[in-house]
Amino acid sequence: QSALTQPASVSGSPGQSITISCTGTSNDVGGYNFVSWYQQHPGKAPKLIIYDVTNRPSGVSDRFSGSKSGNTASLTISGLQAEDEADYYCNSYTGYSTEVFGTGTKVTVL
Amino acid sequence: QVQLQESGPGLVKPSETLSLNCTVSGGSLSSSYWSWVRQPPGKGLEWIGHGYYTGTTKYNPSLESRVTISLDTSTYKFSLKLTSVTPADTAVYYCARVSQQWLVPRYFDVWGRGSLVVVSS
């Protein structure tokens, strides 16, 4: 199974909105609403920020939102803050009953 | 609140078996999947596999021939064994709880802090 495709890097100024895409196939992203997103700061474990495409766990800022269209899922960060600078990974359940992560996106706050 | 902690050797020789344990505190192993994810230095996340308390397991096809994940509900631990390791298996290994719905894995909601394993002679 191939990793889901994400842009290597995305940047924005404080207060702006950015969107990270996650492209898969009809056998993973497009076929199931089990897409999740993770934030990872350097040297730390990943942290769940979006699950089931659009849902936020308790305690996660509402500046994070998720969506999906066809085989592409997206994570939008609104009102970008310095603390949002991190790596972001998408994940999807697949038709083979396995899991697949995205290639990862480094978010830089200018 | 469920917490996870990885443990095991930080150095493994090539061709040997990598063994890691994950201790679960604050909850039981029932009703969730339990997974291993790894991250080579400077690279992205790779799903290794998961297990369910009933004994069901599923592995990444690229690693399936070398991986075994097992759960011990009596000791609140689950383990990873990866055989015939090479330097390419050097990575931080994370254990994670996987929320499920109708026995379908949905998302990784609790993570351990990670354990660096270096494969070198």
Side-chain angles (χ1 to χ4, degrees):
Chain A
Q1 58 190 28
S2 299
L4 307 175
T5 301
Q6 297 181 230
S9 62
V10 174
S11 62
S13 299
Q16 286 187 330
S17 293
I18 61 170
T19 297
I20 302 168
S21 61
C22 169
T23 301
T25 69
S26 58
N27 196 46
D28 37 64
V29 174
Y32 305 91
N33 287 325
F34 294 142
V35 175
S36 50
W37 289 90
Y38 303 85
Q39 178 191 60
Q40 186 181 34
H41 287 108
K44 300 294 187 181
K47 173 189 174 185
L48 176 69
I49 56 173
I50 294 288
Y51 68 94
D52 296 350
V53 179
T54 61
N55 297 318
R56 273 188 315 275
S58 173
V60 172
S61 172
D62 59 5
R63 297 185 298 102
F64 294 95
S65 62
S67 62
K68 190 182 84 167
S69 177
N71 296 338
T72 298
S74 298
L75 172 71
T76 297
I77 309 176
S78 305
L80 198 62
Q81 299 180 1
E83 67 206 48
D84 300 331
E85 188 160 291
D87 294 325
Y88 292 82
Y89 295 90
C90 60
N91 172 271
S92 176
Y93 176 72
T94 82
Y96 305 110
S97 301
T98 60
E99 301 286 332
V100 61
F101 281 99
T103 49
T105 298
K106 181 177 181 60
V107 168
T108 301
V109 181
L110 301 171
Chain B
Q1 183 176 354
V2 173
Q3 293 184 313
L4 307 181
Q5 177 66 59
E6 303 89 352
S7 60
L11 179 64
V12 181
K13 290 182 169 55
S15 80
E16 295 189 344
T17 297
L18 179 160
S19 296
L20 290 172
N21 286 319
C22 182
T23 302
V24 179
S25 58
S28 76
L29 291 184
S30 304
S31 76
S32 296
Y33 284 93
W34 302 91
S35 188
W36 290 94
V37 176
R38 71 180 183 178
Q39 184 171 37
K43 296 188 178 181
L45 302 173
E46 180 181 30
W47 177 74
I48 298 171
H50 60 226
Y52 197 58
Y53 77 100
T54 55
T56 299
T57 55
K58 197 70 177 179
Y59 303 124
N60 186 322
S62 69
L63 298 170
E64 187 165 15
S65 63
R66 299 193 291 133
V67 174
T68 302
I69 292 175
S70 58
L71 280 65
D72 187 337
T73 55
S74 65
T75 61
Y76 296 87
K77 288 182 180 179
F78 63 105
S79 65
L80 168 70
K81 290 191 187 301
L82 182 65
T83 63
S84 304
V85 297
T86 71
D89 294 309
T90 293
V92 174
Y93 285 77
Y94 295 100
C95 58
R97 186 179 74 174
V98 186
S99 177
Q100 56 92 6
Q101 185 177 49
W102 308 308
L103 297 181
V104 177
R106 293 165 65 196
Y107 51 86
F108 305 83
D109 61 348
V110 181
W111 294 71
R113 297 177 69 174
S115 177
L116 174 63
V117 179
V118 175
V119 178
S120 175
S121 55

